[in-house]
Amino acid sequence: MVAHAISIIVLHARGGRRMLTIDPDESKAAFDTVEQLAEQALTDLRHMLGVIRSAPDGNLAPQPSLRHLDALISQLSRPGLTMVSDVAGDVDTLPAGINIAGYRIVQESLTNVLRHAAATTASIRIQVEPAALRIEVTDDGAGTPGDEPGFGILGMRERVALYGGTLDAGAKPAGGYRIRACLPVPA
């Protein structure tokens, strides 16, 4: 996660520097993003170091992956919200980075459902194809990610862009909200 944040920081810093004389407002926005991501990376590092220091036997949990989808759903389940998942294909065949990115996209999507949607149902659909990982998370809630400031969808967009993928997020015409992500899988 920290490496991902640092990669995005480098990209924004390069873009900000290039835009400095051409479009100062655009440059400022890039450097604002650098500052926010750097602060989050520092927070993540502090948490990671805290975990490492507090692990008495040094036995730390593995990185999350889509293999842990059922545990994630169980962890985020709430009374009044039914979560349904459908996984097609073998998530263990995915490269580790794409697998972790997919897990984090689902995690953030479900977190948004809990925080903003007032939904009764959330559906998670994962398709592992030879050339792509496709993720769709939908809910039947209010159809908005909420007005609270945050970096959830922005973080998903950056994570997907890191792998050259696409992300579509928005209200569904019949109500509710949908996140669709496609991450290319290298041959």
Short mmCIF file of all heavy atoms in Angstrom, two decimals, residues 114-157:
data_model
loop_
_atom_site.label_atom_id
_atom_site.label_comp_id
_atom_site.label_asym_id
_atom_site.label_seq_id
_atom_site.Cartn_x
_atom_site.Cartn_y
_atom_site.Cartn_z
N LEU A 114 -21.42 0.63 3.35
CA LEU A 114 -21.75 0.75 4.77
C LEU A 114 -21.88 2.20 5.21
O LEU A 114 -22.75 2.54 6.00
CB LEU A 114 -20.69 0.04 5.62
CG LEU A 114 -20.64 -1.47 5.49
CD1 LEU A 114 -19.43 -2.02 6.25
CD2 LEU A 114 -21.91 -2.10 5.99
N ARG A 115 -21.00 3.05 4.73
CA ARG A 115 -20.96 4.44 5.20
C ARG A 115 -22.02 5.33 4.57
O ARG A 115 -22.51 6.25 5.19
CB ARG A 115 -19.59 5.06 4.90
CG ARG A 115 -18.50 4.57 5.79
CD ARG A 115 -17.22 5.32 5.50
NE ARG A 115 -16.15 4.81 6.34
CZ ARG A 115 -14.87 4.94 6.06
NH1 ARG A 115 -14.49 5.56 4.96
NH2 ARG A 115 -13.96 4.44 6.87
N HIS A 116 -22.32 5.07 3.29
CA HIS A 116 -23.09 6.07 2.55
C HIS A 116 -24.40 5.58 1.94
O HIS A 116 -25.25 6.41 1.64
CB HIS A 116 -22.24 6.63 1.40
CG HIS A 116 -20.90 7.13 1.81
ND1 HIS A 116 -20.73 8.21 2.64
CD2 HIS A 116 -19.65 6.70 1.51
CE1 HIS A 116 -19.44 8.43 2.83
NE2 HIS A 116 -18.76 7.52 2.17
N ALA A 117 -24.56 4.31 1.72
CA ALA A 117 -25.64 3.85 0.84
C ALA A 117 -26.99 3.63 1.51
O ALA A 117 -28.01 3.72 0.85
CB ALA A 117 -25.22 2.57 0.13
N ALA A 118 -27.02 3.31 2.78
CA ALA A 118 -28.27 2.91 3.44
C ALA A 118 -28.92 1.77 2.64
O ALA A 118 -30.12 1.76 2.40
CB ALA A 118 -29.21 4.09 3.60
N ALA A 119 -28.10 0.82 2.23
CA ALA A 119 -28.55 -0.29 1.38
C ALA A 119 -29.01 -1.47 2.22
O ALA A 119 -28.61 -1.63 3.37
CB ALA A 119 -27.40 -0.72 0.46
N THR A 120 -29.82 -2.32 1.60
CA THR A 120 -30.21 -3.58 2.22
C THR A 120 -29.50 -4.76 1.57
O THR A 120 -29.43 -5.83 2.15
CB THR A 120 -31.74 -3.80 2.14
OG1 THR A 120 -32.14 -3.81 0.77
CG2 THR A 120 -32.49 -2.72 2.90
N THR A 121 -28.98 -4.53 0.35
CA THR A 121 -28.28 -5.59 -0.38
C THR A 121 -27.05 -5.02 -1.08
O THR A 121 -27.12 -3.96 -1.67
CB THR A 121 -29.20 -6.24 -1.44
OG1 THR A 121 -30.37 -6.72 -0.81
CG2 THR A 121 -28.50 -7.38 -2.15
N ALA A 122 -25.96 -5.76 -1.01
CA ALA A 122 -24.75 -5.45 -1.77
C ALA A 122 -24.34 -6.72 -2.49
O ALA A 122 -24.38 -7.81 -1.92
CB ALA A 122 -23.64 -4.97 -0.85
N SER A 123 -23.96 -6.56 -3.73
CA SER A 123 -23.58 -7.70 -4.55
C SER A 123 -22.16 -7.51 -5.05
O SER A 123 -21.82 -6.45 -5.58
CB SER A 123 -24.54 -7.81 -5.74
OG SER A 123 -24.14 -8.83 -6.61
N ILE A 124 -21.34 -8.55 -4.88
CA ILE A 124 -19.94 -8.51 -5.32
C ILE A 124 -19.78 -9.58 -6.40
O ILE A 124 -20.07 -10.76 -6.17
CB ILE A 124 -18.97 -8.82 -4.16
CG1 ILE A 124 -19.20 -7.85 -3.00
CG2 ILE A 124 -17.54 -8.77 -4.64
CD1 ILE A 124 -19.93 -8.47 -1.85
N ARG A 125 -19.31 -9.16 -7.55
CA ARG A 125 -19.11 -10.11 -8.65
C ARG A 125 -17.66 -9.99 -9.11
O ARG A 125 -17.19 -8.91 -9.47
CB ARG A 125 -20.05 -9.75 -9.78
CG ARG A 125 -20.10 -10.79 -10.84
CD ARG A 125 -21.31 -10.58 -11.72
NE ARG A 125 -21.22 -11.48 -12.83
CZ ARG A 125 -21.57 -11.18 -14.06
NH1 ARG A 125 -22.08 -10.01 -14.31
NH2 ARG A 125 -21.41 -12.06 -15.01
N ILE A 126 -16.97 -11.12 -9.08
CA ILE A 126 -15.55 -11.19 -9.49
C ILE A 126 -15.46 -12.15 -10.66
O ILE A 126 -15.95 -13.27 -10.59
CB ILE A 126 -14.67 -11.74 -8.34
CG1 ILE A 126 -14.89 -10.98 -7.04
CG2 ILE A 126 -13.20 -11.79 -8.76
CD1 ILE A 126 -14.37 -9.59 -7.01
N GLN A 127 -14.81 -11.71 -11.74
CA GLN A 127 -14.56 -12.58 -12.88
C GLN A 127 -13.06 -12.58 -13.17
O GLN A 127 -12.49 -11.52 -13.45
CB GLN A 127 -15.30 -12.09 -14.12
CG GLN A 127 -16.80 -12.30 -14.06
CD GLN A 127 -17.45 -11.80 -15.34
OE1 GLN A 127 -17.73 -10.62 -15.46
NE2 GLN A 127 -17.66 -12.72 -16.27
N VAL A 128 -12.45 -13.74 -13.08
CA VAL A 128 -11.04 -13.89 -13.43
C VAL A 128 -11.00 -14.48 -14.83
O VAL A 128 -11.45 -15.61 -15.06
CB VAL A 128 -10.30 -14.81 -12.44
CG1 VAL A 128 -8.84 -14.94 -12.84
CG2 VAL A 128 -10.44 -14.28 -11.02
N GLU A 129 -10.50 -13.69 -15.76
CA GLU A 129 -10.39 -14.11 -17.16
C GLU A 129 -8.91 -14.22 -17.50
O GLU A 129 -8.07 -13.67 -16.77
CB GLU A 129 -11.08 -13.08 -18.06
CG GLU A 129 -12.55 -12.90 -17.74
CD GLU A 129 -13.18 -11.73 -18.49
OE1 GLU A 129 -12.45 -10.99 -19.20
OE2 GLU A 129 -14.39 -11.54 -18.33
N PRO A 130 -8.56 -14.87 -18.58
CA PRO A 130 -7.14 -14.96 -18.93
C PRO A 130 -6.45 -13.60 -19.06
O PRO A 130 -5.29 -13.45 -18.69
CB PRO A 130 -7.14 -15.71 -20.26
CG PRO A 130 -8.41 -16.49 -20.24
CD PRO A 130 -9.40 -15.65 -19.48
N ALA A 131 -7.16 -12.60 -19.56
CA ALA A 131 -6.54 -11.30 -19.82
C ALA A 131 -6.99 -10.19 -18.87
O ALA A 131 -6.51 -9.06 -18.99
CB ALA A 131 -6.80 -10.87 -21.26
N ALA A 132 -7.91 -10.48 -17.93
CA ALA A 132 -8.43 -9.39 -17.09
C ALA A 132 -9.06 -9.92 -15.81
O ALA A 132 -9.58 -11.03 -15.77
CB ALA A 132 -9.45 -8.57 -17.86
N LEU A 133 -9.01 -9.07 -14.81
CA LEU A 133 -9.80 -9.25 -13.59
C LEU A 133 -10.91 -8.21 -13.64
O LEU A 133 -10.63 -7.02 -13.77
CB LEU A 133 -8.93 -9.03 -12.34
CG LEU A 133 -9.69 -8.90 -11.01
CD1 LEU A 133 -10.45 -10.19 -10.69
CD2 LEU A 133 -8.75 -8.52 -9.89
N ARG A 134 -12.14 -8.68 -13.56
CA ARG A 134 -13.29 -7.77 -13.58
C ARG A 134 -13.99 -7.84 -12.22
O ARG A 134 -14.24 -8.92 -11.71
CB ARG A 134 -14.26 -8.15 -14.69
CG ARG A 134 -13.64 -8.03 -16.06
CD ARG A 134 -14.63 -8.32 -17.18
NE ARG A 134 -13.95 -8.43 -18.45
CZ ARG A 134 -13.53 -7.40 -19.17
NH1 ARG A 134 -13.73 -6.18 -18.73
NH2 ARG A 134 -12.90 -7.58 -20.31
N ILE A 135 -14.29 -6.67 -11.71
CA ILE A 135 -14.94 -6.55 -10.41
C ILE A 135 -16.15 -5.65 -10.57
O ILE A 135 -16.07 -4.59 -11.19
CB ILE A 135 -13.99 -5.94 -9.37
CG1 ILE A 135 -12.76 -6.82 -9.18
CG2 ILE A 135 -14.71 -5.69 -8.05
CD1 ILE A 135 -11.65 -6.15 -8.40
N GLU A 136 -17.26 -6.09 -9.99
CA GLU A 136 -18.45 -5.24 -9.96
C GLU A 136 -19.06 -5.34 -8.56
O GLU A 136 -19.31 -6.44 -8.07
CB GLU A 136 -19.48 -5.66 -11.00
CG GLU A 136 -20.69 -4.76 -11.01
CD GLU A 136 -21.69 -5.11 -12.10
OE1 GLU A 136 -22.51 -6.01 -11.87
OE2 GLU A 136 -21.62 -4.49 -13.18
N VAL A 137 -19.24 -4.20 -7.93
CA VAL A 137 -19.88 -4.14 -6.62
C VAL A 137 -21.07 -3.20 -6.78
O VAL A 137 -20.90 -2.05 -7.19
CB VAL A 137 -18.93 -3.63 -5.52
CG1 VAL A 137 -19.65 -3.55 -4.18
CG2 VAL A 137 -17.70 -4.53 -5.41
N THR A 138 -22.25 -3.71 -6.47
CA THR A 138 -23.47 -2.91 -6.58
C THR A 138 -24.23 -2.95 -5.27
O THR A 138 -24.06 -3.86 -4.46
CB THR A 138 -24.39 -3.42 -7.71
OG1 THR A 138 -24.75 -4.78 -7.43
CG2 THR A 138 -23.70 -3.34 -9.06
N ASP A 139 -25.07 -1.95 -5.08
CA ASP A 139 -25.95 -1.94 -3.91
C ASP A 139 -27.31 -1.37 -4.31
O ASP A 139 -27.46 -0.83 -5.41
CB ASP A 139 -25.33 -1.16 -2.75
CG ASP A 139 -25.24 0.33 -3.01
OD1 ASP A 139 -26.29 0.98 -3.15
OD2 ASP A 139 -24.12 0.86 -3.07
N ASP A 140 -28.27 -1.53 -3.44
CA ASP A 140 -29.62 -1.02 -3.70
C ASP A 140 -29.94 0.19 -2.84
O ASP A 140 -31.09 0.49 -2.55
CB ASP A 140 -30.65 -2.12 -3.47
CG ASP A 140 -30.71 -2.58 -2.02
OD1 ASP A 140 -29.86 -2.15 -1.20
OD2 ASP A 140 -31.60 -3.39 -1.69
N GLY A 141 -28.91 0.92 -2.45
CA GLY A 141 -29.09 2.04 -1.52
C GLY A 141 -29.43 3.35 -2.19
O GLY A 141 -30.07 3.40 -3.23
N ALA A 142 -28.94 4.42 -1.57
CA ALA A 142 -29.30 5.78 -1.95
C ALA A 142 -28.71 6.23 -3.28
O ALA A 142 -29.12 7.25 -3.81
CB ALA A 142 -28.87 6.75 -0.84
N GLY A 143 -27.72 5.53 -3.80
CA GLY A 143 -27.18 5.86 -5.10
C GLY A 143 -26.16 6.97 -5.10
O GLY A 143 -25.93 7.61 -6.11
N THR A 144 -25.53 7.22 -3.96
CA THR A 144 -24.52 8.27 -3.89
C THR A 144 -23.39 7.83 -2.96
O THR A 144 -23.65 7.15 -1.97
CB THR A 144 -25.12 9.60 -3.39
OG1 THR A 144 -24.06 10.54 -3.23
CG2 THR A 144 -25.82 9.43 -2.06
N PRO A 145 -22.15 8.20 -3.28
CA PRO A 145 -21.06 7.85 -2.39
C PRO A 145 -21.01 8.72 -1.14
O PRO A 145 -20.19 8.53 -0.28
CB PRO A 145 -19.81 8.05 -3.25
CG PRO A 145 -20.21 9.12 -4.21
CD PRO A 145 -21.69 8.88 -4.48
N GLY A 146 -21.88 9.71 -1.04
CA GLY A 146 -21.93 10.55 0.15
C GLY A 146 -21.22 11.88 -0.04
O GLY A 146 -20.49 12.08 -1.00
N ASP A 147 -21.44 12.77 0.89
CA ASP A 147 -20.85 14.10 0.82
C ASP A 147 -19.61 14.24 1.67
O ASP A 147 -18.95 15.26 1.65
CB ASP A 147 -21.88 15.15 1.26
CG ASP A 147 -23.06 15.19 0.31
OD1 ASP A 147 -22.85 14.96 -0.89
OD2 ASP A 147 -24.19 15.44 0.78
N GLU A 148 -19.30 13.22 2.48
CA GLU A 148 -18.12 13.30 3.34
C GLU A 148 -16.86 13.27 2.49
O GLU A 148 -16.77 12.53 1.53
CB GLU A 148 -18.10 12.11 4.31
CG GLU A 148 -19.26 12.07 5.26
CD GLU A 148 -19.24 10.82 6.12
OE1 GLU A 148 -18.15 10.27 6.37
OE2 GLU A 148 -20.32 10.40 6.54
N PRO A 149 -15.89 14.12 2.83
CA PRO A 149 -14.66 14.09 2.06
C PRO A 149 -13.92 12.78 2.30
O PRO A 149 -13.94 12.24 3.39
CB PRO A 149 -13.87 15.28 2.62
CG PRO A 149 -14.44 15.52 3.97
CD PRO A 149 -15.87 15.06 3.93
N GLY A 150 -13.32 12.28 1.27
CA GLY A 150 -12.57 11.04 1.40
C GLY A 150 -11.84 10.74 0.12
O GLY A 150 -11.96 11.44 -0.88
N PHE A 151 -11.10 9.66 0.16
CA PHE A 151 -10.28 9.30 -0.98
C PHE A 151 -10.62 7.92 -1.51
O PHE A 151 -9.84 7.34 -2.26
CB PHE A 151 -8.80 9.37 -0.59
CG PHE A 151 -8.38 10.74 -0.16
CD1 PHE A 151 -8.26 11.06 1.17
CD2 PHE A 151 -8.14 11.72 -1.11
CE1 PHE A 151 -7.89 12.33 1.56
CE2 PHE A 151 -7.77 13.00 -0.73
CZ PHE A 151 -7.65 13.31 0.61
N GLY A 152 -11.78 7.37 -1.12
CA GLY A 152 -12.13 6.02 -1.51
C GLY A 152 -12.14 5.79 -3.01
O GLY A 152 -11.39 4.96 -3.53
N ILE A 153 -12.99 6.51 -3.71
CA ILE A 153 -13.09 6.31 -5.16
C ILE A 153 -11.82 6.80 -5.85
O ILE A 153 -11.32 6.17 -6.78
CB ILE A 153 -14.36 6.97 -5.72
CG1 ILE A 153 -15.58 6.21 -5.18
CG2 ILE A 153 -14.35 6.97 -7.24
CD1 ILE A 153 -16.91 6.78 -5.56
N LEU A 154 -11.26 7.91 -5.37
CA LEU A 154 -9.99 8.39 -5.92
C LEU A 154 -8.91 7.32 -5.77
O LEU A 154 -8.17 7.02 -6.71
CB LEU A 154 -9.54 9.68 -5.23
CG LEU A 154 -8.16 10.20 -5.62
CD1 LEU A 154 -8.12 10.57 -7.10
CD2 LEU A 154 -7.79 11.39 -4.76
N GLY A 155 -8.83 6.71 -4.60
CA GLY A 155 -7.85 5.65 -4.37
C GLY A 155 -8.07 4.46 -5.29
O GLY A 155 -7.12 3.87 -5.80
N MET A 156 -9.35 4.11 -5.51
CA MET A 156 -9.65 3.01 -6.44
C MET A 156 -9.19 3.38 -7.85
O MET A 156 -8.59 2.56 -8.54
CB MET A 156 -11.14 2.70 -6.43
CG MET A 156 -11.61 1.93 -5.23
SD MET A 156 -13.33 1.40 -5.41
CE MET A 156 -14.16 2.68 -4.48
N ARG A 157 -9.49 4.62 -8.27
CA ARG A 157 -9.08 5.05 -9.61
C ARG A 157 -7.55 4.99 -9.77
O ARG A 157 -7.04 4.53 -10.79
CB ARG A 157 -9.55 6.47 -9.89
CG ARG A 157 -11.02 6.58 -10.14
CD ARG A 157 -11.41 7.94 -10.72
NE ARG A 157 -12.83 8.15 -10.68
CZ ARG A 157 -13.72 7.53 -11.46
NH1 ARG A 157 -13.29 6.65 -12.34
NH2 ARG A 157 -15.00 7.77 -11.35
#
